[in-house]
Amino acid sequence: MTEFLQFLVPGILIGGVYALLASGLGLIFGVMRVVNFAQADFMMLAMYLSWALFAGGIGMDPFLAMPGIFAVFLLLGMAIHWLFIRFVIGRHENHDAQVILTIGLGLIFQNLILIRYSSEPRVVAPSYANTGDFIGDIFISRARLYAFLLSLLVAALLFLFLNRTGTGRAIRAASENWEAATYMGINIDRTNRIAFGVGVALTAVGGAALVTFQSITPFVGLRFVVVMFAAVVLGGLGSVSGAFVGGVLIGIIQSVSQVWTSAAVKNVWVFALFLLILYVRPNGLFGKVQRAI
Amino acid sequence: MTRRLIPFVVLVAAVALLNGWLYQRFHVRVLTLAVVWALAGVAWNLMAKAGQISLGHSAFVGIGAYGFTVLLREGGMSPWTGMAIGMGAAAVVAFVIGLPTFRLKGFYFTLATISFPLILELLVSHYGEPELTVPFHPENQWKFMEFSNAHTYVWVGLGMLIVALLISELIDVTSFGFALRAIRDNEVLARAVGIRTVAWKSAAFMISAALSAAMAVLWVKAVLRVTVAEEVFGITVVIVMLSVAFVGGVGMTWGPVVGAAFLIPLAMFLDDSIGEAVPGAQELVYAAALVLVALLIPRGILPAAGRGCRWLATRLGSTPGSPVRQSLQRVVAPPPRPSPLLSVPRRPRRPAVLPQAGEAPVLEVDSVAKSFGANRVLSDVSFTVAAGTRVGIIGPNGAGKTTLFNIMTAHLRADAGRIRFKSIPIDRIRAPRRYELGISRTFQVPQGFGLMSPLDNVVVAAIGASVRHPVDASMAMLERVGLTSKALGQLSALTVAETKSLELARAMVSEPELLLLDEPLAGLNEAERDRFFGIVDDLVAPHTAIVVIEHSVRSLVRYAESVVALDEGRIIAHGSPDDVVSDPRVIEAYLGSKWMERARDQ
């Protein structure tokens, strides 16, 4: 039992971060029905920015840097939407263009970073990175605990944004019924742009929360892309709150699987679960609703 | 036929010329890789013919690579035998992967395919060997595919590429290709005209997987020489396949050949010249190609070039007889007619049934109910339709009329109740089989296979019904509805009335025994409305039963022999047209209770 808890608790903690990563992807899909394969590469970029701020002489703590990272990626996301994504939205005849565009963008990010920073793994190690506390027999890593608490905070802010602000309500309206939203005078292009920016920024903050316990390479996103998709599909494609719950569940499964199999194959469980969900409940664990919240 | 032969001749000539001319190791390597990736792209593109984007083909490449390497190391087996076994294994895995996802629409297939290579790579690396060297067997060059002359690999690759291209061409001109294109354009409609979408997609996926496994053996033997899990199962394999296919022409047989001829040399020469300083140069080529194609020419170079030539033909050669125009028009000849291969006589799946007096009704609907969540759309709907009769269904918007049709054609499943067609219970029979049994329909919002010609739209329906000579039958049907001149044009060029006629031709080519028409008169003008039912009567066999949903009560009353009135999912009147339209409940449903009260007061 203790062994189980020793895996369960860190699972929940990392699951919080996965939830944050996935909520960005879920928001983008919910609002503009774009499956963004570059999402994990935005996460990778945020990890490098976080590393650069920490290791690049300023020594800025990754958690303190987060508001700045959010702002930078909000703008970057909006720019990417304006430059590329808006041209492949609403081509209803196929998703092909969206798939290859976002794959291509992700690949460009990866290789630009490879060219600039090489493939050498980078680490961000603030003083609390390797410390933790015992509660009973269970060790709780400081870095992971902070990351988890941060995720809860961001989730609360996201909830307030989507429910209490005009822009947030417009985003929700667009995700529920795109066409009706345009009839209500919602500027769909602007809403999409903001939603894309916010979605990218959410994942970026999630990436920055990972850096204290995850080494950074240009191809780190590859490992997370299926984790994010699994969380989003688990919670029901297009649902932000679903993606959040899905993220936590994925974290738990990934971690608890180590009770039975080696840590090296923990992602096999995630991938297998992802497939199982696609086959058994393609609309997610919580049913058929495709909404943003 | 020659039109299809020319690209093969050009390909063989080009590769032969280069293979003879190039002598530097690196140049031969580039040529080999171009052939290898063209082969991989052709294999990947088979699924794209059905509009399915796979991001998991590296699973099959990995299976092919590991399969033959292990068999060669452990059993001394020839790579050729290993290739055959790997192809079989890849096809089986493809079947298993495909079956659950092919029932889902949209990008679920794409999402599901991502995780297979990742799972296999992790399992192979952790429980197997992350890296296997291929043993060296110089004693028998051909048996062990161990050619001392690097040019021989190019010849072998060219042979395999030609086989793959022939398979792709064969698919294009047979009913297989028609089914895949129909699925790509409109999967719901494809099922409604008898195309067994899951079976066709599975078949395409299995062939595609097998060819990918074959390509892997050549890739490892000719270039890699070591089987590395990270490489053969890696995402880069998929990226290159995607790039060559999308750049050349997605779903098109020759697309990947064009794409590989452009991209592979570009990527490799760039890598060779600046790869030291810029490690990701090769990948950036593919990435840039994907982004540019997505934004500029979403279907690839070949279709874009075709459009360009057509534009030039109209611009340059203003005089019809000018040589420029003639030669350009030869390049952009009209879309190819369906091949004679389609006319192979087949065994009809449905025996012709002649109506006999006292026979059971064609259609028996018994206590059908359907809800969407808490919203009850149909409750306890029962009626029968006798052979050769015409039944009208009327009712205000939202009465459940189209839902009823969708249940009859298995696009929706009823919550309760039974439907029998020709006394056969059909509740558990899926849409394509119901069409084969003899139920055809048209749609409230006309449906079509958007990228196919009007003729091909009908041919798909004829193939779905196993009509003996699908092309001839379709052409004859188009002639009867007056669309001969538009048969080979663009679907989008048809007027509303012509689209309705096309829907009718498509529904009638199977010679159905039950024809369901969903608001056939909507969008037609007065003259077209008056003509429409005349065309229908002209097309149907005497024993065909017709059920029509129509808002134009006036037209329906003249046409139908009996009318069913629905309101809020219930039958409120059923009988002769005159009785039903004068029934107070029907008038109330249409015009509201207030109108009724006022009418009574006066």
Side-chain angles (χ1 to χ4, degrees):
Chain A
M1 191 61 203
T2 315
E3 195 198 3
F4 184 77
L5 281 178
Q6 274 167 351
F7 285 112
L8 179 67
V9 172
I12 295 173
L13 296 184
I14 189 89
V17 182
Y18 291 166
L20 198 50
L21 295 172
S23 61
L25 186 67
L27 180 71
I28 289 171
F29 182 81
V31 174
M32 61 205 91
R33 301 281 170 235
V34 169
V35 180
N36 182 16
F37 287 99
Q39 192 77 3
D41 297 303
F42 284 110
M43 177 203 80
M44 177 272 297
L45 290 180
M47 292 170 88
Y48 270 94
L49 179 58
S50 180
W51 166 78
L53 289 171
F54 181 81
I58 320 171
M60 189 184 274
D61 185 274
F63 286 97
L64 290 179
M66 272 175 201
I69 287 177
F70 186 91
V72 168
F73 279 85
L74 179 69
L75 293 176
L76 178 67
M78 286 166 71
I80 293 288
H81 175 272
W82 188 76
L83 285 171
F84 302 103
I85 306 292
R86 67 187 169 121
F87 298 110
V88 296
I89 292 174
R91 265 191 206 158
H92 45 91
E93 79 186 40
N94 58 43
H95 288 272
D96 301 3
Q98 295 173 0
V99 173
I100 60 169
L101 175 68
T102 53
I103 287 180
L105 287 175
L107 211 54
I108 290 176
F109 295 153
Q110 289 168 19
N111 288 289
L112 289 180
I113 291 293
L114 176 71
I115 290 165
R116 178 69 183 79
Y117 294 112
S118 83
S119 58
E120 186 191 323
R122 312 287 175 167
V123 265
V124 175
S127 55
Y128 51 83
N130 291 313
T131 61
D133 309 282
F134 276 97
I135 298 179
D137 287 335
I138 300 155
F139 178 78
I140 295 178
S141 145
R142 283 269 175 84
R144 285 173 193 234
L145 182 64
Y146 294 163
F148 178 74
L149 293 175
L150 173 97
S151 302
L152 292 187
L153 175 70
V154 175
L157 292 175
L158 176 66
F159 183 81
L160 288 177
F161 168 69
L162 288 176
N163 288 284
R164 294 275 186 274
T165 67
T167 309
R169 291 205 189 103
I171 287 174
R172 283 174 55 216
S175 81
E176 272 185 37
N177 192 334
W178 178 99
E179 218 173 355
T182 56
Y183 295 146
M184 297 295 157
I186 289 172
N187 178 342
I188 207 76
D189 194 47
R190 177 177 169 273
T191 308
N192 280 346
R193 188 162 63 242
I194 293 171
F196 198 85
V198 172
V200 164
L202 285 172
T203 299
V205 169
L210 278 171
V211 291
T212 50
F213 50 92
Q214 166 74 51
S215 65
I216 311 162
T217 71
F219 307 108
V220 69
L222 216 54
R223 206 180 312 168
F224 286 88
V225 74
V226 177
V227 167
M228 286 160 65
F229 276 116
V232 167
V233 170
L234 196 63
L237 263 174
S239 154
V240 174
S241 50
F244 219 86
V245 177
V248 176
L249 284 176
I250 294 291
I252 292 172
I253 287 150
Q254 198 186 46
S255 189
V256 168
S257 78
Q258 296 171 49
V259 175
W260 304 289
T261 52
S262 147
V265 292
K266 65 181 179 186
N267 274 337
V268 171
W269 291 81
V270 175
F271 302 158
L273 177 81
F274 174 50
L275 285 174
L276 192 71
I277 292 292
L278 277 177
Y279 292 161
V280 186
R281 294 209 59 123
N283 291 310
L285 284 181
F286 315 111
K288 294 202 161 182
V289 202
Q290 293 203 349
R291 286 190 189 144
I293 267 285
Chain B
M1 204 60 221
T2 40
R3 270 182 66 81
R4 294 193 179 273
L5 209 61
I6 291 167
F8 282 99
V9 175
V10 173
L11 173 72
V12 172
V15 173
L17 205 68
L18 286 169
N19 206 18
W21 179 50
L22 301 173
Y23 58 93
Q24 280 189 33
R25 261 180 93 88
F26 176 68
H27 292 164
V28 179
R29 195 178 141 93
V30 173
L31 180 62
T32 314
L33 277 170
V35 172
V36 164
W37 286 114
L39 172 62
V42 172
W44 183 89
N45 232 359
L46 294 184
M47 269 320 279
K49 285 185 196 297
Q52 307 287 317
I53 304 299
S54 160
L55 299 179
H57 263 60
S58 52
F60 311 128
V61 173
I63 288 169
Y66 262 87
F68 102 89
T69 314
V70 169
L71 290 171
L72 180 58
R73 281 167 65 107
E74 308 298 325
M77 200 179 274
S78 153
W80 297 103
T81 322
M83 184 192 284
I85 294 172
M87 288 168 78
V92 171
V93 171
F95 180 76
V96 174
I97 296 176
L99 213 49
T101 42
F102 285 156
R103 301 207 176 284
L104 305 169
K105 282 197 299 169
F107 39 71
Y108 282 112
F109 170 75
T110 306
L111 286 184
T113 52
I114 310 174
S115 47
F116 280 95
L118 294 168
I119 291 179
L120 290 177
E121 188 201 328
L122 276 171
L123 291 179
V124 166
S125 308
H126 188 71
Y127 296 109
E129 299 282 341
E131 197 174 312
L132 283 178
T133 48
V134 181
F136 186 54
H137 283 283
E139 68 271 19
N140 188 334
Q141 289 202 18
W142 277 96
K143 184 184 172 195
F144 289 103
M145 227 194 257
E146 197 75 70
F147 307 116
S148 50
N149 184 345
H151 293 283
T152 316
Y153 285 110
V154 177
W155 290 120
V156 172
L158 180 63
M160 288 167 69
L161 176 60
I162 286 174
V163 171
L165 286 165
L166 285 173
I167 291 173
S168 182
E169 284 278 71
L170 201 63
I171 289 174
D172 273 349
V173 297
T174 54
S175 41
F176 198 164
F178 274 84
L180 294 181
R181 290 192 293 275
I183 292 166
R184 174 197 66 193
D185 282 1
N186 191 334
E187 191 156 353
V188 173
L189 179 60
R191 290 181 66 76
V193 294
I195 301 299
R196 296 171 179 231
T197 52
V198 175
W200 286 119
K201 282 195 276 187
S202 295
F205 199 32
M206 288 168 75
I207 297 171
S208 174
L211 288 175
S212 305
M215 162 270 173
V217 178
L218 179 70
W219 187 31
V220 172
K221 283 301 299 178
V223 184
L224 299 179
R225 306 246 154 210
V226 189
T227 299
V228 184
E230 218 180 355
E231 187 154 27
V232 292
F233 285 109
I235 188 77
T236 311
V237 170
V238 179
I239 302 276
V240 183
M241 283 174 160
L242 273 176
S243 306
V244 296
F246 267 99
V247 167
V250 65
M252 300 180 79
T253 298
W254 289 92
V257 178
V258 174
F262 267 98
L263 284 181
I264 303 298
L266 180 64
M268 290 200 65
F269 283 115
L270 207 64
D271 187 52
D272 186 50
S273 53
I274 58 166
E276 288 287 311
V278 188
Q282 206 169 343
E283 281 74 18
L284 278 177
V285 170
Y286 300 125
L290 287 177
V291 170
L292 288 175
V293 167
L295 294 177
L296 302 177
I297 40 168
R299 301 211 70 83
I301 288 177
L302 282 182
R307 275 199 306 275
C309 287
R310 240 165 284 152
W311 180 81
L312 271 180
T314 47
R315 280 306 286 275
L316 286 180
S318 46
T319 47
S322 87
V324 184
R325 182 163 184 162
Q326 275 178 358
S327 54
L328 273 172
Q329 263 171 352
R330 226 168 291 135
V331 182
V332 291
R337 289 284 305 252
S339 136
L341 277 172
L342 277 172
S343 303
V344 177
R346 303 140 158 273
R347 185 176 54 84
R349 282 187 211 155
R350 170 159 51 102
V353 184
L354 291 170
Q356 283 163 10
E359 209 184 359
V362 173
L363 179 72
E364 297 160 81
V365 178
D366 183 11
S367 329
V368 165
K370 176 74 187 173
S371 302
F372 294 120
N375 189 6
R376 208 164 167 78
V377 185
L378 290 175
S379 32
D380 199 23
V381 171
S382 308
F383 63 94
T384 60
V385 180
T389 57
R390 309 143 170 182
V391 176
I393 298 182
I394 60 170
N397 286 326
K401 305 183 294 293
T402 297
T403 305
L404 187 60
F405 268 19
N406 284 338
I407 288 171
M408 289 183 203
T409 54
H411 288 89
L412 288 173
R413 182 169 281 208
D415 299 335
R418 275 194 303 272
I419 298 179
R420 277 198 292 271
F421 176 66
K422 295 192 286 183
S423 305
I424 311 163
I426 56 170
D427 304 291
R428 304 200 152 272
I429 294 177
R430 293 176 193 278
R433 179 75 187 131
R434 289 196 194 183
Y435 173 81
E436 284 168 12
L437 284 171
I439 304 179
S440 269
R441 75 175 292 184
T442 66
F443 293 83
Q444 191 177 356
V445 179
Q447 300 287 312
F449 303 113
L451 296 175
M452 302 168 78
S453 67
L455 173 61
D456 285 357
N457 269 266
V458 183
V459 171
V460 170
I463 289 170
S466 304
V467 170
R468 211 170 259 273
H469 299 288
V471 181
D472 298 343
S474 303
M475 212 54 215
M477 195 54 78
L478 284 177
E479 196 181 332
R480 290 171 74 180
V481 300
L483 284 177
T484 312
S485 61
K486 305 279 182 106
L488 293 176
Q490 299 243 325
L491 189 67
S492 52
L494 300 186
T495 65
V496 176
E498 286 168 344
T499 309
K500 296 270 177 180
S501 299
L502 181 65
E503 283 243 310
L504 200 57
R506 191 181 62 218
M508 290 307 303
V509 76
S510 61
E511 294 172 15
E513 279 163 69
L514 175 63
L515 175 64
L516 308 173
L517 302 173
D518 196 347
E519 295 195 24
L521 304 183
L524 299 185
N525 64 33
E526 201 74 18
E528 289 162 346
R529 283 175 177 224
D530 291 341
R531 238 186 354 250
F532 187 84
F533 285 124
I535 301 175
V536 175
D537 283 343
D538 182 44
L539 290 180
V540 295
H543 64 277
T544 301
I546 304 173
V547 181
V548 192
I549 294 175
E550 190 44 65
H551 276 307
S552 169
V553 178
R554 196 175 59 91
S555 309
L556 196 61
V557 165
R558 273 187 290 174
Y559 184 65
E561 285 138 10
S562 70
V563 171
V564 174
L566 277 176
D567 185 35
E568 292 177 351
R570 292 179 182 279
I571 293 183
I572 52 170
H574 184 187
S576 80
D578 290 335
D579 291 349
V580 169
V581 295
S582 52
D583 188 306
R585 278 167 303 179
V586 176
I587 298 171
E588 185 178 332
Y590 260 91
L591 300 169
S593 51
K594 284 210 177 119
W595 190 89
M596 285 292 288
E597 279 161 25
R598 218 173 296 151
R600 223 175 292 133
D601 291 345
Q602 279 167 6

